């Protein structure tokens, strides 16, 4: 865990409003685990004030590079998108608890909704390093938001696309598509509604799964209790866990959905 | 340069030690309750031993789960929060968290909060027996459940009663933390001083609200929240200034401090020490940067003792 002034190597607008930014940050690249995030200082001034949590999207350990994949959602991410090659960005991390490794036997799946592919891509990079190849269910509103299909296939994984408008792949949700192709372990990230229905399916079929959650953050290091999410473990009523340290990745069965 | 007791640069010696109502601080920079957890969260980023004091998250008698989410939203140069005093309760705090701080060379100040006057008395008595507690900071910005939810901190008589009960329960220094959500912060400060407080801290967050245009509902799960960060600084400096004129108690000033210049402004207004809250979120090393900047200011302006600056704007 450290504070780094990373240098922007490349900033690429994949489709309007969606950016992939590569930074030079050797220590982060060395230590990062899939599912962890960086707490990014988007402005140099005091407004917007807080850092923004962004998942680690890809890592090149040899080059000491880290990539983010983000959607411009407001002022902070807009400032991030305005950063150019050579600019410095202050980052905190890697932070949080990432995905755990799959059990050695059994079929692995990944379910991504839209921008949710961001942390899962790093996971897919790591899985192919241990010769574990996954069924990747990529969901999006429309065809052009099915991100990184060819890169994912190049890593050796199989892509199963689903679009809400039927412009590519399965016409329907990524969770419906997954339900038709169940596996032993699932890693999910995406909008809350998608993760909620994914968790319901996992419970129904007793499938092991992990999901990456989002919540508004202050400190990012466990100190302010802003990023609470309701969780439950065996024999417990419920409690608030901190997405920034106990998460952002949680076992699917522990999340209490609203 | 020895970070412990000021430093020597170009032969100039700076004295940074201050005293807050009996709590000896090696420098005037503390952490604000609720923004720094129980200290250990920030140990990877700074040497906690270099802090003037550590003020921990508000503690209640019973554990509290806290408020529904979202609990935090950013506003212009500020942050609105409604954490809802999520904490493990005083017994687990004393049993599990306090021992972890024993190895550090710094005063640990415990922020306490209650629903009733009796809660405050019991908390004071329980913490009086706990080793490693340098003093108590009394959060009086809580609603009194017995009196229809009115804040203890908004009524001078209730504020004074809480102070008396806490003083009766402990021999340790008692700092009363004032709320800015009152008509006259001076009136509250005067009553609290008369009731025996050893020091004051100010300000707690300003009551605020943000509304989501899409849902047309308050953004925070709890509706209202408390505003902190740079947006509140002038209000906080004003509060310190007004109270310093009328009440002869040491003050820990806070509210929007990000830089050393902000901190020095509070000291000039009358604060003996300062605390950083929201700044830690922006920069986990903010306390250390502020401390270094205060030293630099003192050396550049040939100030030998930080206490010379306290309230200097009034002279
Ligand atoms: C652990 C974690 C990892 C994340 N990873 C990514 C990622 O890889 N790529 C990506 O595009 N986004 C990611 N996000 C979401 C990202 O943090 C928010 O989109 C960002 O903070 C918005 O900031 P802003 O200033 O641009 O927008 P703001 O003006 O602050 O807000 C715009 C909208 O975004 C929503 N929002 C604000 N903060 C958050 C938040 N912390 N989480 C979710 N929604 C929020 C609000 O509902 C608001 O309506 C992640 C969030 C978390 C908690
Ligand atoms: C997330 C958060 C949690 C807080 N929790 C507490 C608390 O438990 N008790 C308390 O007395 N003040 C609490 N405060 C108020 C701060 O201690 C401080 O008074 C206020 O934030 C102003 O300082 P700042 O602008 O430097 O943050 C909290 C503030 C924030 C932002
Ligand atoms: S963001 Fe502060 S505890 Fe998670």
């Amino acid at each position: 865990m450290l504070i780094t002034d990373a240098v922007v190597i490349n900033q690429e607008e994949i489709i309007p409003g969606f950016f992939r930014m590569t930074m030079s940050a050797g220590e982060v690249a060395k230590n990062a685990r899939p599912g962890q995030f960086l707490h990014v200082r988007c402005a140099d001034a005091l407004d917007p004030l807080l850092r923004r949590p962004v998942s680690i999207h890809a890592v090149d350990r040899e080059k000491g590079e880290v990539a983010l994949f983000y959607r411009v959602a407001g002022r902070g991410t807009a400032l991030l998108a305005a950063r150019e090659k050579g600019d410095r960005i202050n980052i905190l991390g890697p932070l949080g608890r990432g995905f755990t490794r799959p059990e050695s036997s059994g079929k692995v799946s990944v379910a991504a909704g839209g921008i949710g592919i961001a942390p899962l891509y790093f996971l897919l990079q790591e899985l192919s390093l241990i010769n574990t190849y996954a069924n990747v269910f990529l969901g999006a509103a429309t065809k052009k938001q099915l991100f990184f299909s060819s890169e994912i296939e190049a890593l050796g994984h199989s892509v199963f696309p689903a679009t809400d408008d039927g412009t590519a792949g399965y016409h329907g949700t990524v969770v419906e598509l997954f339900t038709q192709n169940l596996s032993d372990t699932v890693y999910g990230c995406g909008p809350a509604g998608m993760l909620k229905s994914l968790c319901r399916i996992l419970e129904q079929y007793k499938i092991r799964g992990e999901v990456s959650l989002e919540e508004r953050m202050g400190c990012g290091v466990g100190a302010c209790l802003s990023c609470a999410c309701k969780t439950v473990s065996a024999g417990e009523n419920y409690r608030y866990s901190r997405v920034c340290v106990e998460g952002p990745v949680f076992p699917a069965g522990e999340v209490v959905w609203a | 340069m020895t970070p412990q007791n000021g430093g020597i640069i170009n032969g100039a010696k700076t004295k940074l030690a201050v005293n807050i109502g009996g709590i000896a601080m090696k420098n005037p920079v503390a952490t604000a309750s609720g923004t720094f957890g129980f200290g250990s969260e920030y140990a990877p980023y700074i040497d906690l031993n270099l802090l003037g004091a550590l003020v921990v998250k508000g503690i209640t008698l019973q554990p509290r789960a806290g408020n529904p989410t979202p609990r935090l939203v950013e506003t212009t140069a500020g942050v609105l929060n409604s954490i809802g005093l999520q904490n493990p309760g005083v017994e687990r705090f004393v049993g599990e968290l306090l021992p972890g701080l024993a190895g550090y060379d710094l005063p640990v100040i415990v922020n306490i909060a209650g629903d009733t006057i009796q809660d405050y008395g019991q908390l004071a008595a329980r913490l009086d027996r706990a080793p490693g507690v340098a003093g108590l900071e009394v959060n009086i910005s809580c609603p009194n459940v017995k009196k229809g939810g009115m804040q203890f901190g908004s009524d001078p008589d209730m504020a004074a009663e809480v102070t008396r009960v806490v003083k009766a329960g402990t021999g340790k220094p008692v700092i009363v933390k004032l709320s800015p959500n009152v008509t006259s912060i001076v009136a509250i400060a005067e009553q609290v001083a008369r009731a025996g407080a050893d020091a004051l801290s100010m300000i707690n967050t300003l009551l605020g609200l943000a509304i989501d245009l899409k849902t047309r509902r308050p953004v925070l799960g709890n509706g209202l929240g408390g505003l902190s960060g740079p947006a509140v600084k002038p209000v906080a400096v004003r509060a310190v200034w007004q109270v310093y004129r009328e009440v002869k108690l040491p003050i820990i000033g806070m509210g929007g401090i990000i830089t050393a210049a902000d901190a020095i402004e509070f000291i000039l207004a009358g604060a003996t020490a300062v605390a950083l809250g929201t700044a830690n979120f922006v920069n986990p090393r903010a306390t250390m940067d502020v401390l270094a900047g205060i030293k630099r200011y003192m050396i550049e302006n040939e100030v030998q003792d930080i206490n010379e600056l306290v309230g200097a704007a009034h002279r």
Side-chain angles (χ1 to χ4, degrees), chain A residues 224-226, chain B residues 31-35 56-59 72 79 81 83 85 111-113 137-141 177 202-205 226-230 232 254-257 275-279 281:
Chain A
C224 73
L225 309 176
S226 301
Chain B
T31 59
S33 176
T35 65
V56 299
K57 173 70 191 166
I59 300 292
L72 169 132
V79 172
N81 88 80
I83 307 299
L85 284 172
N111 182 285
I112 58 172
E137 181 182 58
V138 188
N139 178 0
I140 55 171
S141 311
K177 183 165 180 179
M202 65 191 72
I203 55 174
N204 212 317
T205 53
L227 184 64
S228 65
V232 310
M254 73 193 86
I257 298 175
L276 274 67
T278 306
F281 306 167

Side-chain angles (χ1 to χ4, degrees), chain A residues 47 49 51-52 216 225 228 240, chain B residues 37 65 69 71-72 74 77 282:
Chain A
D47 185 59
L49 181 67
R51 290 170 183 269
R52 298 293 189 263
R216 288 163 198 257
L225 309 176
Y240 282 112
Chain B
T69 58
R71 291 177 172 185
L72 169 132
E74 185 167 337
V282 183

Side-chain angles (χ1 to χ4, degrees), chain A residues 65-143:
Chain A
E65 291 177 2
V66 178
L68 305 179
F69 177 55
Y70 61 95
R71 182 178 67 91
V72 173
R75 292 191 302 153
T77 43
L79 281 167
L80 203 57
R83 299 294 181 118
E84 292 171 357
K85 186 175 175 176
D87 287 353
R88 286 176 182 277
I89 297 187
N90 189 266
I91 55 175
L92 194 64
L95 298 173
R97 211 164 62 173
F99 298 103
T100 58
R101 280 197 175 195
E103 275 144 26
S104 48
S105 66
K107 188 69 201 159
V108 176
S109 293
V110 161
I115 192 79
I117 190 62
L120 294 170
Y121 186 82
F122 182 17
L123 176 71
L124 291 167
Q125 278 189 318
E126 296 287 288
L127 288 177
S128 66
L129 288 181
I130 55 168
N131 297 314
T132 302
Y133 299 100
N135 284 344
V136 181
F137 300 91
L138 269 188
T142 187
K143 182 180 178 183

Side-chain angles (χ1 to χ4, degrees), chain B residues 67-137:
Chain B
N67 284 335
T69 58
R71 291 177 172 185
L72 169 132
V73 62
E74 185 167 337
T75 57
T76 307
V79 172
L80 266 183
N81 88 80
S82 68
I83 307 299
L85 284 172
Q86 178 178 341
N87 80 92
V90 70
E91 285 310 327
R92 273 188 58 205
F93 168 71
V94 170
E96 295 170 26
L97 296 165
L98 202 47
L101 291 168
Y104 292 104
D105 171 30
L106 92 168
V108 175
I109 297 170
V110 182
N111 182 285
I112 58 172
D115 289 332
T116 63
I117 299 269
Q118 289 77 1
D119 282 5
Y120 284 99
Q122 286 181 43
L123 282 161
R126 180 67 190 90
L127 290 163
D128 188 60
R129 292 183 273 121
V133 176
L136 303 185
E137 181 182 58

